[in-house]
Amino acid sequence: MDRSEEQLLTVLAALDNPHRLRIIHALHRQGRNYVSQLARELNLSRPLLHLHLQKLEEAQLVTSQLELSADGKALKYFEVADFHLLLSPATITEAVGKQ
Amino acid sequence: MDRSEEQLLTVLAALDNPHRLRIIHALHRQGRNYVSQLARELNLSRPLLHLHLQKLEEAQLVTSQLELSADGKALKYFEVADFHLLLSPATITEAVGKQ
DNA sequence: TACACCTGTCAGGTATTACTGACAGGTGTA
DNA sequence: TACACCTGTCAGTAATACCTGACAGGTGTA
């Protein structure tokens, strides 16, 4: 999983936040969940969770699908992507070296 | 290298900055360097570099020693620590789970 | 003494992120 | 119609992070 400095910073910025770590934690345990339900469980306002999920999705750390429930409601389900990122002096040097 | 959520966030916050990635990059290539010299090479003001080095040292990503040069000047040398941090849904879940 | 280096710190300003509350639009049931 | 859910967006504000310029103190050489 080689990344450029820009990609690396996108991921680091996405993970540098306690809410977003908890979101990954929750989704990893649950498998998947939709926005409003997750907001209730994490005790976050829906607009705020929406914003955090957006950042995580931009960094490709989570993925989403819009689905219709049995009773016709549109639910946006999120799940964690299967990412693996090794941070060390060598991997950072490699990413920065690509400028 | 297991870390709590707090430690993990300290490291992520330290790495989430282009200057600080370049500092690690430079120190990893050079081995070690002192503050004023590094500031010239990276084209950063010394107070700014000082601040970034502080963050990196707090996160234990770099280490420093104050030394006296042959002509008596006090030089603060920095070098990168040998850190290895794997980021994945599982490792994040583990760190957050420790609350 | 004056200058050239080295170190550290800090007030003040700018830029970036994080967050809330309100709005708009959708589908379903009573 | 009214209500209970779901979705998304956005203006305005609060909280952080970043950065500069100036100051203070140290050792050496001319």
Side-chain angles (χ1 to χ4, degrees):
Chain A
M1 185 155 302
D2 287 356
R3 298 172 195 261
S4 68
E5 178 183 351
E6 190 184 345
Q7 293 171 322
L8 180 55
L9 277 169
T10 302
V11 172
L12 289 170
L15 292 178
D16 176 21
N17 180 287
H19 289 324
R20 293 197 283 269
L21 289 187
R22 291 215 173 83
I23 291 167
I24 290 176
H25 171 252
L27 288 177
H28 185 237
R29 290 180 65 103
Q30 302 178 348
R32 65 204 297 267
N33 205 347
Y34 64 93
V35 184
S36 291
Q37 177 61 22
L38 189 56
R40 283 188 292 265
E41 289 174 11
L42 295 178
N43 211 27
L44 295 178
S45 72
R46 196 178 50 78
L48 181 56
L49 176 60
H50 185 271
L51 182 148
H52 286 314
L53 285 170
Q54 229 170 14
K55 281 218 167 190
L56 288 170
E57 191 166 25
E58 279 169 19
Q60 300 186 306
L61 300 178
V62 302
T63 59
S64 67
Q65 305 118 265
L66 191 61
E67 296 184 10
L68 290 181
S69 66
D71 62 348
K73 286 172 193 156
L75 306 180
K76 189 157 189 182
Y77 277 93
F78 279 85
E79 58 191 319
V80 290
D82 186 30
F83 62 90
H84 300 272
L85 176 60
L86 178 61
L87 293 175
S88 71
T91 60
I92 289 171
T93 292
E94 221 244 316
V96 174
K98 293 180 180 177
Q99 54 234 2
Chain B
M1 184 155 304
D2 286 359
R3 299 172 195 263
S4 68
E5 178 184 351
E6 190 184 345
Q7 293 171 323
L8 180 56
L9 277 169
T10 301
V11 172
L12 289 171
L15 292 177
D16 176 21
N17 180 287
H19 290 323
R20 293 197 284 269
L21 289 186
R22 292 214 172 83
I23 291 168
I24 289 177
H25 171 252
L27 289 177
H28 185 237
R29 291 181 66 103
Q30 301 178 350
R32 64 203 299 266
N33 206 347
Y34 63 94
V35 184
S36 292
Q37 176 61 21
L38 190 56
R40 283 188 292 264
E41 289 173 11
L42 295 177
N43 212 28
L44 294 178
S45 74
R46 195 178 50 80
L48 181 56
L49 177 59
H50 185 271
L51 182 147
H52 285 313
L53 284 170
Q54 228 171 16
K55 280 216 168 192
L56 289 170
E57 193 166 23
E58 279 169 20
Q60 300 185 305
L61 300 178
V62 303
T63 59
S64 67
Q65 306 119 265
L66 192 61
E67 297 183 10
L68 290 181
S69 66
D71 62 348
K73 286 172 194 157
L75 306 180
K76 189 158 189 182
Y77 277 93
F78 279 86
E79 58 192 318
V80 289
D82 186 31
F83 62 90
H84 300 272
L85 175 60
L86 178 60
L87 293 175
S88 70
T91 61
I92 290 171
T93 292
E94 221 246 316
V96 174
K98 293 181 183 178
Q99 54 233 3

